[in-house]
Amino acid sequence: MKRAVLIEAGHRCAIPTCKAVPVEFAHIVPWAQVQGHTFDNLIALCPTCHRRYDNGDIDRVAMRQYKANLAVVNSRYGDLEQRILEAYAEDPENGKTFMLHATSLLHVRYLLRDGLIADVATATPSTRMTVEDLKRFATFEMYHMFMITEEGAKFAQRWRDAQSLA
């Protein structure tokens, strides 16, 4: 069961704005009330978030939603996709657009398919670039510019704010 809880959270804190390591196991409903360990009642938290939860800074409703959202996000999106959503959630003004090399398209396919990001521009080297420009551009490789869509922005905010993603 411990392994399953760790895998569910990616061996990091389950709170999407934290993701710190190392982690501890926390009971969503306190041990004193349930006197047992079940997968649905355990969540991986860093020591700081665990202490914040125990002190009441994070409420039980939010903790249950973090647990539920882990299943949604981890079953659908890979690490790069999650990092894109996290970057936007942490800084909506500066995290709205980003560039990826064309070989990374496979790693963001579910965000694209679900309409959470959009490919807004493809860049290729110009024939007027200097040799230094070409080196900076990674010598004739192709990049794509992406933008978080309105639906993607809403999804990232719901995830960050412990609201339902389903």
Side-chain angles (χ1 to χ4, degrees), residues 99-103 105 122-125 137-144:
M99 290 190 76
L100 291 175
H101 186 272
T103 58
L105 293 178
T122 300
T124 55
F137 204 83
T139 315
F140 297 102
E141 293 180 328
M142 204 156 75
Y143 289 82
H144 291 257

Side-chain angles (χ1 to χ4, degrees), residues 33-50:
Q33 291 178 16
V34 296
Q35 297 289 308
H37 303 293
T38 62
F39 177 78
D40 292 338
N41 193 45
L42 290 173
I43 191 165
L45 298 175
C46 71
T48 300
C49 290
H50 193 173

